[in-house]
Amino acid sequence: VLDSQYGMYVWPCAVVLAQYLWAHRRNLPGKRVLEIGAGVSLPGVVAARCGAQVILSDSEELPQCLQRCRSSCLMNRLPHVPVLGLTWGRVSPELLSLAPIDIILGSDVFFDPKDFEDILTTIYFLLEKNPHAQFWTTYQVRSADWSIEALLYKWNLKSIHIPLHSFGADKEHLASSSLPGRHTIEMMIISLAQSEGT
C-alpha cells in the first residue's frame, strides 16, 4: 500500500533518472545540483555520491518528505547535504537565496496536472537566475491528455527528449513498475528557449 504522500516511495522514474546520472557520473564532480520534489532522494543521493554538490528540496508543507530526504542522506553517509523546504510556484527566502546551480533534478514531479504550471514557474525562475543550467526530469506517461508543451512555450522553455536506450535505462528491471497498469517512462531535459536575436 502506497503512503498517501508521494514522496515516501521510490517511484520507477527515480530509478531511471538515477541511471542517467550514473551514466554521466564523470561529468558530475563539482557540479551544483538541486533536486526538487526529492522525497526519498535517490537521484540526488546518486549525484552526491558521484561528487556533485547537492541540495535536496521538497515542499515546505510536507515535513515527512523533508525528513525522508534527511534520512536518505544519513543512510548513504551524506550528512552534510542540505535539505530545503521549497514549494513549487511560491517565491520564498529559501528560493531567493539559493546558490548558483548547474543542474535541477526532478523525478516524476509531473504527476498531478494541477501542479504542472507551478513546477514550470519555479523551473523558469531558477533557469533565469542560472541561464546555463538544465532541468533533467523523468516522468510516467499516465494520460495522453497530460501535456506540458503549451506551458513550456508560455514560460519560454524548450525540451529535448532523451531516449532511455541511450543510457541503458530501457531494461525491464529499471523502467518497469509494479503499480497497476503499464506506464511508459520518458526523460527530457528542459532549458531556457533562446530569445529572438540571441
Side-chain angles (χ1 to χ4, degrees):
V1 177
L2 298 183
D3 192 286
S4 59
Q5 293 191 10
Y6 307 135
M8 307 298 281
Y9 181 81
V10 179
W11 295 89
C13 286
V15 178
V16 172
L17 187 53
Q19 176 72 14
Y20 187 79
L21 288 157
W22 182 249
H24 293 85
R25 62 190 175 277
R26 287 176 184 81
N27 301 326
L28 291 175
K31 294 286 188 199
R32 298 160 304 187
V33 174
L34 169 69
E35 184 175 3
I36 64 166
V40 179
S41 314
L42 178 62
V45 164
V46 169
R49 298 292 292 176
C50 290
Q53 301 168 23
V54 174
I55 298 171
L56 300 174
S57 72
D58 212 313
S59 173
E60 59 195 333
E61 298 166 359
L62 299 174
Q64 283 184 294
C65 289
L66 293 170
Q67 187 52 46
R68 178 63 56 209
C69 292
R70 292 182 191 97
S71 296
S72 292
C73 289
L74 291 175
M75 283 188 271
N76 287 282
R77 298 183 299 279
L78 298 165
H80 303 299
V81 171
V83 175
L84 298 178
L86 295 179
T87 301
W88 302 327
R90 185 179 301 162
V91 176
S92 64
E94 291 79 10
L95 183 66
L96 292 171
S97 63
L98 273 176
I101 51 177
D102 302 304
I103 300 165
I104 306 159
L105 301 175
S107 66
D108 219 2
V109 295
F110 294 110
F111 180 84
D112 189 337
K114 73 175 177 50
D115 296 327
F116 290 4
E117 187 152 26
D118 285 343
I119 294 164
L120 288 176
T121 58
T122 299
I123 295 303
Y124 177 78
F125 176 85
L126 292 167
L127 293 177
E128 276 283 294
K129 281 182 65 174
N130 304 275
H132 300 292
Q134 296 179 327
F135 177 37
W136 297 0
T137 185
T138 50
Y139 60 98
Q140 283 190 344
V141 179
R142 293 181 170 89
S143 168
D145 298 334
W146 295 6
S147 174
I148 63 167
E149 293 304 316
L151 290 172
L152 290 174
Y153 180 79
K154 176 180 178 179
W155 287 100
N156 195 36
L157 299 169
K158 64 180 180 180
S159 68
I160 299 168
H161 178 261
I162 307 296
L164 299 193
H165 68 81
S166 70
F167 58 99
D170 56 339
K171 311 292 184 278
E172 186 70 23
H173 69 282
L174 281 176
S176 67
S177 171
S178 59
L179 301 175
R182 208 53 196 139
H183 303 295
T184 303
I185 295 179
E186 301 284 345
M187 177 167 178
M188 64 181 154
I189 294 178
I190 295 174
S191 57
L192 285 178
Q194 296 300 316
S195 41
E196 294 295 319
T198 58

